[in-house]
Amino acid sequence: MNLLEFIRLNLRNWKVLFLFPLLTAVAAFIFTGNLQKEYESSTVVYTGLASGYSITSAEDERVDYFAVNNAFDNLMATIKSRETLEMVGMKLLARNLLISKPELKKLSTENFEHLTEIIPDSIRKKLVVPSSLELTYANIELYRKLNENNIITTLLNSKNEIYSAEVINKNMTAARKQASDMIEITYKAGDPAVCQQTLQMIVDVFINRYKGMKGGETDNVVKYYEEQLRLASARLKNAEGTLRDFSSQNKIINYYEQAKFIAESKEDVVSDKQKQEEALMASRAALSRIEGKISLRKNLMEVNENIAGYREQLSSINYKIANAELYNEDIDKIQKYRKKAEELKKQIAGEIENQYKLNNSSEGVSRESLLNEWLSNYLAVDENQSKLKVIIDRLDGFDKIYNDMAPIGSRLKQIEREVEVAEKEYLSVLHGLNLAKLRQKNLEISTNLTITDFPFFPLQPQSSKRMFLVILSFLATFIVAISVILGRTLLGKSIKTPERAEKFTGLRFMGALPDYTTMHTNIDTAVLDDMVLSHLSSSLQLE
């Protein structure tokens, strides 16, 4: 079908193409006469998800657009979630139940009367707490959970009530404003007061829910770290208490310093022993040399009872002096011992002088000088022996100290390792807790959503869609009509053109007579017959 045939087809069916769309448009105009007016309000919420500053923000930190888009998707999902919309519906119902009479900025007369009809006074008395929106909301939520088929559940699941989650979702539009941090939320309703209040509650509920969800992400982590910190602190205190008790029982102030001091002291004692041995050997050699110069036998001197007694006393005093000096005892006590030793030395010298009155030795040396020298070396030998004995006892004491300190050191190191492990565990948990609290505070700051444009009270309704519906119905009917006509023409078996005649008969077209019943009466049929028959005659002659 070419364009000319299409135009002719439309002209032949102009009545159908015009009358049916016109009737449909008139019907749409009549039926939309009582179309309810719609009021629209909007609000803008600043999120700070893309450009907002937080605790963890760096100076030149790059924006993660994937994370930002994900955060906006979470916000949108929170706004449109059924739980959010049901909470909005129940809060709106609680607010409207507290109204005693219809007001322009609270509730229209139509909605007030409708609410009075659907909520009986018996139920209203159970739900309403005068002057308390929160308690009324709590009663509504509790009443809803008591039974799945009560009036509250019916309202929330209705398809046409203003408190229905489905109706709120249908009338609400939420979208991000281009690439900004703003979210614009719009709401439409037949009552301007309901429009404003519902939008305000949508914003309040979704902000609180979003903050709660984001805060809940870190609350559990913080609680976990706090519990682990408590346990780690208890283990650390227990380990430190064990170390304190062990040190107290074993009289340890600083084990490693004490061990170092003992080792150094032993080295000093070993050095003193070597020096004392050398001094003893020297005094013995000097004594032997002097004894060789005098005609006295040593055993003769030792058998004297008085000298032997004095010698034992002197040996004991020398031991005490050496011991006191080695252990740094009281100086007065050491002086007392030395005074006693000097008295014993004088008594020994007196005994020797009384028993041996010879004046000269065999070498012609004064015997008195030799005896004094012999006595000095003899006493020096005795004194050095006493000191050496004290040093040897002291070294034996060091061995005992080492035997006691070795297991103490091993146990102490084990306890210190336990304290160190407990301390590292405590510090690690404390670090984790600090990071969790930092994250918690960061989320608290970053989720501080702010309303930049508050919901306004719409004074003028939206432009009516009545004419749009009328025009749409006319165009839709026109398209349907022309589609039906065109379909019947193309799919029908009637012969309307020479081409279709040749197609259906399989013969060559020579000519045809018109159907005069469908033509206008003022057409001269005779002239038309002559023209058609002449064309047919010419075609036959050519054939």
Side-chain angles (χ1 to χ4, degrees), residues 246 250 252 255 397-410:
F246 182 80
N250 294 278
I252 298 173
Y255 176 82
F398 277 115
D399 293 338
K400 183 178 182 303
I401 291 173
Y402 281 177
N403 292 333
D404 293 338
M405 292 288 285
I408 292 176
S410 177

Side-chain angles (χ1 to χ4, degrees), residues 11 43 113 140 160 181 235 268 270 295-296 301 307 333 390 393 399 435 451 488 509 516:
L11 292 176
T43 182
E113 293 175 352
I140 292 174
N160 50 19
D181 286 344
R235 285 191 289 268
D268 293 339
V270 170
S295 58
L296 297 173
M301 297 290 296
I307 294 177
K333 190 175 182 180
V390 171
D393 292 341
D399 293 338
L435 289 179
I451 303 174
R488 290 184 61 187
F509 180 80
Y516 295 115

Side-chain angles (χ1 to χ4, degrees), residues 149-189:
N149 296 320
N150 55 43
I151 185 63
I152 304 300
T153 306
T154 303
L155 286 175
L156 295 177
N157 293 283
S158 173
K159 293 185 178 298
N160 50 19
E161 295 290 345
I162 59 176
Y163 313 104
S164 167
E166 183 177 345
V167 173
I168 295 174
N169 186 39
K170 181 176 67 175
N171 295 330
M172 177 187 65
T173 303
R176 180 183 180 185
K177 295 193 71 173
Q178 299 178 354
S180 67
D181 286 344
M182 307 289 187
I183 290 181
E184 184 178 22
I185 306 174
T186 59
Y187 191 77
K188 297 178 181 179

